[in-house]
Amino acid sequence: MAEIETKFAGDMSRLQTRIPMYERMQPEFYQQEVEKVFRRAWLVAACTTDIPIPGSFVLTEIPPLRLSILIVHSNDGKIRAFHNVCRHRGDKLVHTPNGCAKAFTCAFHAWTYATDGRLLNITDASQFDNVEKSQYGLVPVHCETWEDVVFINLDREPRETLREFLGDMYDQYQGFAKNRVKIADHRLVLKTNWNLATNAFSEGYHNLYIHKNTVPDYQGGPNNPDRHRAYLEVGRHFGRYSTHGNQNHKKTPTEEVVFRYSKPMFPWFPKFDFSTQPPGINPSRFDEWGFDIVHIFPNCVFAPQANTHSYMTFWPIDHGHTEIRNWRFAYESDNPVDAIAQAYSVTRAREVIREDMNTMETNLVGILSGAIPHTVLSKQERVIQNHYRAIDDMLAED
């Protein structure tokens, strides 16, 4: 049986295999990333399943810019984003992380706003001189939806649309999230740099070793002992690869039970019919597919699989601390057996991710020691190389 060779795609001519990480981990470099990357890039901020009906809302905190953003499914059906700041005295308008409301009233002085941002009421309005309600609505934030997620852009005027920013991948996932619901929402803070956290989920080179205790045989197999990616592609603001799902995976007794009467999910990847899937899912149509990893620059990792998908976002708090948010989705069902299978998959995935966490913190300690002049990256780590190429491109812009 011939060994699997990675199919590479995209322009890799500007990727660097040696990255001077010590300089990139310094506070001064981080401040450049905040101003030229996080303030200008399109950022994954929320999922549409959290705001399904008019009036529903969710707050999204943006730690690097110290911003609170209110994302609303307005009564006219549009999804909008606003700075979560009352126009009167600057107090935080909404304090509840999510919910549903007909209007938003500030707890400080009861100024009230419609779901589309219009100022509806000024308390004791006769005492204000030259204040027109039409001029004091909530401050909008540029907002666009893509499939089941909401992107925001915090620049005064975005330099490109979301379609332009995502490029070729924009139209390649249409409908993949249909009839899926959120089944997990986890958050944690680590003592690491946001780049290192993002990098940890942008390559599969590590999984044979880090995950040997939780999922020792879920990838690879006899024809892929080093677990090379089946497909790897880089774009201007994305990078992605397809994993090799081991068809010889030995199911645990629990997997045998929970997946016997439900659709299989992580960590089991049986043969799958791709004829119903959009072209972005397993782009090379690799027959023994497990799942894809899609790095959406700068700080999101999207992972589609046959019956589930997830988004992880990596938000810098400062140059040495990162908040990780993880949303996991699966097919909608009212069958108790499916609920058990989904809960099991979430638990297994959480334990696998937990194994990655310690390396992110020790990785930063090692780099900041100054012991190594640079990190060196392989062909299997080209999505990471592309991440730093994209950062450098944005830092070079005026």
Side-chain angles (χ1 to χ4, degrees), residues 71-132:
I71 299 175
V72 188
H73 187 152
S74 300
N75 290 333
D76 61 4
K78 294 182 179 179
I79 292 177
R80 292 181 168 88
F82 305 98
H83 286 278
N84 186 25
V85 178
C86 178
R87 292 295 303 274
H88 174 218
R89 296 264 294 277
D91 195 24
K92 195 172 187 178
L93 176 63
V94 179
H95 294 265
T96 306
N98 55 71
C100 193
K102 294 182 179 179
F104 301 104
T105 300
C106 181
F108 199 2
H109 297 94
W111 281 36
T112 301
Y113 302 84
T115 59
D116 62 6
R118 289 176 296 118
L119 176 59
L120 297 177
N121 180 66
I122 299 175
T123 303
D124 203 9
S126 66
Q127 300 303 298
F128 288 84
D129 295 329
N130 303 317
V131 175
E132 294 291 336

Side-chain angles (χ1 to χ4, degrees), residues 140-347:
V141 172
H142 300 285
C143 169
E144 292 190 35
T145 59
W146 177 80
E147 302 307 325
D148 62 337
V149 287
V150 180
F151 282 78
I152 60 171
N153 188 299
L154 297 159
D155 211 353
R156 290 186 179 276
E157 287 298 332
R159 295 162 184 239
E160 53 191 337
T161 65
L162 179 60
R163 175 184 287 275
E164 292 167 338
F165 185 82
L166 293 181
D168 292 343
M169 69 168 282
Y170 185 90
D171 291 319
Q172 295 181 358
Y173 293 89
Q174 292 183 6
F176 84 95
K178 184 179 181 181
N179 297 325
R180 291 190 179 183
V181 295
K182 185 188 283 187
I183 59 173
D185 190 333
H186 301 137
R187 295 189 180 206
L188 70 156
V189 174
L190 292 181
K191 295 178 181 178
T192 194
N193 181 274
W194 75 276
N195 291 284
L196 301 180
T198 307
N199 295 167
F201 294 92
S202 299
E203 52 88 4
Y205 183 39
H206 69 275
N207 73 71
L208 183 60
Y209 310 99
I210 293 296
H211 302 311
K212 62 181 182 295
N213 294 319
T214 54
V215 282
D217 70 340
Y218 79 134
Q219 293 185 48
N223 61 336
N224 194 7
D226 293 318
R227 302 188 180 182
H228 290 168
R229 309 296 89 181
Y231 175 85
L232 193 154
E233 178 185 2
V234 298
R236 190 164 67 97
H237 290 135
F238 74 90
R240 58 187 173 187
Y241 63 75
S242 298
T243 66
H244 180 194
N246 183 9
Q247 300 301 305
N248 298 304
H249 165 64
K250 183 179 179 181
K251 295 187 289 296
T252 66
T254 305
E255 286 175 44
E256 288 278 10
V257 173
V258 299
F259 292 140
R260 185 176 300 166
Y261 304 107
S262 65
K263 296 178 182 179
M265 293 183 292
F266 180 91
W268 180 29
F269 313 119
K271 293 279 189 175
F272 184 70
D273 177 11
F274 298 104
S275 63
T276 61
Q277 298 300 307
I281 304 295
N282 186 16
S284 67
R285 291 303 191 250
F286 176 64
D287 188 50
E288 298 176 46
W289 179 67
F291 58 90
D292 291 336
I293 289 292
V294 185
H295 172 224
I296 303 175
F297 181 80
N299 67 325
C300 178
V301 171
F302 159 48
Q305 189 195 320
N307 297 309
T308 181
H309 68 280
S310 65
Y311 294 96
M312 296 185 73
T313 49
F314 306 87
W315 293 99
I317 298 171
D318 55 39
H319 75 287
H321 293 83
T322 299
E323 180 187 28
I324 300 175
R325 305 170 189 172
N326 185 17
W327 308 324
R328 194 166 183 83
F329 301 81
Y331 53 92
E332 189 172 15
S333 174
D334 58 4
N335 186 334
V337 175
D338 289 333
I340 294 171
Q342 292 174 6
Y344 172 76
S345 181
V346 167
T347 301

Side-chain angles (χ1 to χ4, degrees), residues 8-19:
F8 292 99
D11 181 7
M12 302 186 183
S13 62
R14 297 178 56 234
L15 303 188
Q16 301 295 318
T17 60
R18 288 165 174 76
I19 311 295

